[in-house]
Amino acid sequence: MYRSLMNHYTGYLAIHKFEAELERELEIKGIPIALKKDRLYLVAGDHPPMIWAQVSAFKMIQIPITSIKDGAKKLRNLGRNWALFTVGNHRRAQLIQEELPDYPIKPIPFRMAIPKLPMGFWTLLETDVILAATETSSPFPLGEMTFQEDKTTPPSRAYLKLWEFFTVYAPEAISTGTAIDVGSCPGGWTWVLRTLNFENTISVDKAPIEKRIMDLGKIEFRQESAFGLDPKDFGEIDWFCSDIICYPERLLTLVKKFRDSGKVKNFICTIKYQSVTDWENTLKFLEIPNSYIVHLHHNKHEVTWFLKGAAP
Ligand SMILES: C[S@@+](CC[C@H](N)C(=O)[O-])C[C@H]1O[C@@H](n2cnc3c(N)ncnc32)[C@H](O)[C@@H]1O
């Protein structure tokens, strides 16, 4: 049945528990679902990565196979690294995977150069049909990445979002000048910015950040509401970082105020949701030119909006 459908698909592996978000995103973008298997959504033809897919697999093709060895050989002929997501025929799929080359799956250090070798994605659609893509949206298997965590210094695990961002999405970022961190308590993001050695780190929250973070020095802490900040009171800002818990609409107003000031070069902001995903305002963030939204591996029911090189 599948063999006769289309030449190729784009595959989206929905983030666990966020299948409804991916379905809504596809609907908003007018992309019909051709086939859904477990958390894997297939759409006909070429499409870009989706926010709510933990990995997007491009130009997925169907490969008829005659045996486990034949399947492994055909995959090896296409590429070296393959990540498997099983949608059925689990044992047979695992046996094929075991015939494929190993690759290291281990936690990486902050800002490690990300692997250059492409990471393929495959599944066993039927006993005798593989669906595979050599090109995917992530160099990590199924888009899953873990860090060698610092379990003692940062006061919260929120720092992992900023680690992921500066490792994967902004590895080129040079930490000179000023960074501002709004919604900073207890201090995980401020700690990351401090370790990046910005000349000046301004940290803003209604609640105080932990003393041991302040003791690192070179941090200016302002205990006030971020929404009352006036860009006029700041010089040039290299990175505007926000992890504030607030309605997306309020964050958008704050972002626009700072963006319109022309003083901010780069933004990274967590858009947090209540019980439902606020698509209306999420799409308004995307209307800001040259900006992107991703769901980081370390995001929960929230996404990360970023804009690099904003100021003239
Ligand atoms: C998820 S926490 C931030 C965690 C922080 N990024 C870290 O790494 O430790 C969200 C923070 O937003 C702060 N917040 C909420 N409303 C705020 C406002 N109007 N102005 C500043 N901070 C606010 C809360 O006090 C809370 O500390």
Side-chain angles (χ1 to χ4, degrees):
M1 170 193 167
Y2 308 113
R3 262 168 271 185
S4 60
L5 268 178
M6 273 295 290
N7 285 341
H8 64 260
Y9 296 99
T10 305
Y12 298 111
L13 183 61
I15 300 157
H16 182 53
K17 293 191 180 157
F18 295 115
E19 290 90 337
E21 271 67 23
L22 178 61
E23 285 177 22
R24 181 76 183 114
E25 185 177 3
L26 290 168
E27 189 187 357
I28 287 170
K29 294 177 178 170
I31 304 172
I33 298 162
L35 189 66
K36 173 183 179 321
K37 289 261 181 179
D38 198 300
R39 280 191 287 134
L40 179 62
Y41 292 74
L42 300 174
V43 304
D46 296 320
H47 297 281
M50 293 290 138
I51 299 167
W52 291 97
Q54 65 179 60
V55 69
S56 304
F58 310 110
K59 296 196 188 306
M60 293 200 89
I61 51 164
Q62 294 166 79
I63 307 166
I65 62 166
T66 53
S67 65
I68 289 165
K69 286 212 175 315
D70 182 49
K73 188 172 154 217
K74 284 177 172 161
L75 286 173
R76 274 198 308 271
N77 285 344
L78 288 174
R80 187 195 183 279
N81 289 340
W82 290 100
L84 164 68
F85 180 76
T86 58
V87 296
N89 301 294
H90 305 289
R91 180 75 189 128
R92 187 169 164 85
Q94 280 301 342
L95 290 171
I96 295 173
Q97 183 71 22
E98 282 165 22
E99 299 271 326
L100 297 172
D102 278 339
Y103 46 81
I105 305 178
K106 50 183 187 196
I108 63 165
F110 175 41
R111 294 204 101 176
M112 188 194 89
I114 56 172
K116 288 213 167 30
L117 262 185
M119 178 58 66
F121 173 92
W122 78 279
T123 191
L124 195 57
L125 206 51
E126 295 172 5
T127 329
D128 59 351
V129 183
I130 278 175
L131 189 66
T134 53
E135 202 190 321
T136 65
S137 58
S138 173
F140 303 103
L142 306 184
E144 290 166 0
M145 65 161 334
T146 53
F147 282 108
Q148 292 169 9
E149 292 190 31
D150 182 333
K151 293 195 171 153
T152 50
T153 329
S156 72
R157 293 189 80 239
Y159 79 96
L160 291 167
K161 292 184 277 189
L162 217 47
W163 267 23
E164 182 176 345
F165 178 74
F166 281 117
T167 302
V168 179
Y169 296 94
E172 77 294 348
I174 303 165
S175 40
T176 53
T178 298
I180 178 164
D181 176 19
V182 297
S184 58
C185 174
W189 282 32
T190 294
W191 170 72
V192 174
L193 298 170
R194 180 65 192 83
T195 61
L196 283 172
N197 218 9
F198 282 94
E199 278 154 32
N200 191 15
T201 300
I202 302 168
S203 179
V204 183
D205 202 299
K206 292 192 287 188
I209 59 167
E210 289 210 0
K211 182 179 174 306
R212 64 201 164 89
I213 302 300
M214 282 306 292
D215 288 347
L216 297 171
K218 280 171 72 177
I219 296 167
E220 180 193 331
F221 181 68
R222 299 187 182 193
Q223 190 163 356
E224 59 185 289
S225 171
F227 300 110
L229 295 175
D230 187 339
K232 283 201 217 77
D233 298 336
F234 298 87
E236 285 201 354
I237 298 165
D238 291 85
W239 282 91
F240 180 99
C241 310
S242 170
D243 198 25
I244 304 179
I245 293 181
C246 65
Y247 289 110
E249 193 175 7
R250 263 198 118 184
L251 177 64
L252 184 62
T253 306
L254 180 66
V255 158
K256 283 188 169 165
K257 180 161 77 169
F258 273 84
R259 182 173 170 270
D260 292 348
S261 75
K263 287 185 171 176
V264 183
K265 275 201 196 114
N266 309 286
F267 291 84
I268 169 186
C269 302
T270 313
I271 305 173
K272 294 175 188 264
Y273 304 116
Q274 308 280 318
S275 48
V276 289
T277 303
D278 177 347
W279 277 103
E280 190 187 337
N281 284 295
T282 303
L283 295 173
K284 285 186 186 163
F285 269 95
L286 276 181
E287 284 169 11
I288 299 176
N290 304 319
S291 75
Y292 298 88
I293 291 181
V294 290
H295 185 281
L296 301 174
H297 182 62
H298 295 94
N299 277 137
K300 294 185 181 109
H301 190 203
E302 56 185 23
V303 292
T304 297
W305 172 81
F306 66 93
L307 171 59
K308 297 198 281 183

